[in-house]
Amino acid sequence: MSDKGLTLWFTGLSGSGKSTLAEYLTPRLRDLGNRVEVLDGDEVRENLSKGLGFSKEDRDTNIRRIGYVANMLARNGVVAITAAISPYRALRREVRSRAQAPFIEVFVHCPLDVVEERDTKGLYKKARAGIIKNFTGISDPYEPPESPEIVVHTGPESIEDSARKVLAYLESKGLVEAISKTA
Ligand SMILES: Nc1ncnc2c1ncn2[C@@H]1O[C@H](COP(=O)(O)OP(=O)(O)OP(=O)(O)O)[C@@H](O)[C@H]1O
Ligand SMILES: [Mg+2]
């Protein structure tokens, strides 16, 4: 069992693939001997951040909470994966600055027209119609990372391709066991 904790911080537009990649990577990282926990934006908003909305202040509070818990897990040897939009650069910088274990930012990049076409939760349609206010990418800002450790392009890439990129980076930095070693 590996005790190298870290935070794998996914950031990107709604529908870009943060939850999908977090779920896809979890069993693979476990197979490599890691303890893994996922802090998914939707789930966090149902419990840890219940009652918070989507104002700048509430979004910031939500991200601080996720960062706080991820850090506690990571410093205790867990691979903490976060899957929340986390639209503001300053907040991502803040949680990174508090990290006591490696902090790996993954920019889940997907063009707006593609996520809007996917519209996995039907939210873009509602945002365009004005039914949902403050929707990231439509009526609220998304600030792309300037120097993320990893960028995946989920428009052209398959889920497997994107996940492979993340694993390859972690392996190259010695943060997880090489896949070939566990085979
Ligand atoms: N390379 C890829 N990586 C991840 N998802 C992909 C990729 N290519 C296509 N997809 C598809 O994109 C969609 C991503 O939806 P998902 O719910 O994971 O987004 P999200 O970033 O978690 O959004 P939200 O912020 O609303 O929770 C899924 O339908 C998934 O199958
Ligand atoms: Mg999600």
Side-chain angles (χ1 to χ4, degrees):
M1 187 56 81
S2 167
D3 62 356
K4 283 183 196 158
L6 61 102
T7 297
L8 200 51
W9 189 282
F10 286 111
T11 173
L13 293 173
S14 178
S16 59
K18 303 175 300 294
S19 298
T20 303
L21 286 172
E23 290 310 315
Y24 186 87
L25 283 165
T26 296
R28 283 157 185 84
L29 287 165
R30 289 194 177 128
D31 283 349
L32 296 174
N34 301 282
R35 276 169 295 172
V36 185
E37 288 287 352
V38 177
L39 289 153
D40 192 85
D42 286 340
E43 207 184 314
V44 168
R45 280 183 171 280
E46 281 299 308
N47 46 79
L48 184 64
S49 288
K50 200 166 179 68
L52 291 183
F54 292 88
S55 65
K56 168 89 171 58
E57 200 185 354
D58 280 5
R59 284 178 186 273
D60 288 356
T61 302
N62 181 46
I63 295 309
R64 283 195 183 100
R65 288 182 189 173
I66 293 174
Y68 181 84
V69 176
N71 181 52
M72 282 185 140
L73 292 166
R75 73 185 184 199
N76 280 290
V78 175
V79 174
I81 306 181
T82 72
I85 298 172
S86 37
Y88 292 105
R89 218 171 268 146
L91 260 289
R92 295 193 304 265
R93 197 181 306 132
E94 183 185 310
V95 290
R96 179 195 286 271
S97 74
R98 293 186 177 158
Q100 295 163 298
F103 185 95
I104 314 298
E105 191 171 353
V106 186
F107 180 22
V108 185
H109 183 269
C110 191
L112 185 63
D113 57 323
V114 177
V115 289
E116 225 178 321
E117 177 65 32
R118 281 181 190 160
D119 209 5
T120 42
K121 298 177 182 169
L123 297 176
Y124 282 98
K125 211 170 161 199
K126 288 189 183 157
R128 285 290 184 198
I131 300 165
I132 302 175
K133 314 272 180 228
N134 306 332
F135 196 76
T136 302
I138 306 291
S139 43
D140 223 48
Y142 179 77
E143 299 173 355
E146 279 162 345
S147 45
E149 279 73 10
I150 307 168
V151 184
V152 293
H153 296 273
T154 67
E157 289 168 12
S158 67
I159 296 167
E160 293 78 7
D161 289 340
S162 300
R164 209 173 295 126
K165 247 189 204 174
V166 175
L167 287 173
Y169 177 89
L170 296 177
E171 274 184 37
S172 75
K173 298 289 173 191
L175 294 168
V176 299
E177 285 288 317
I179 292 167
S180 55
K181 275 199 203 158
T182 59

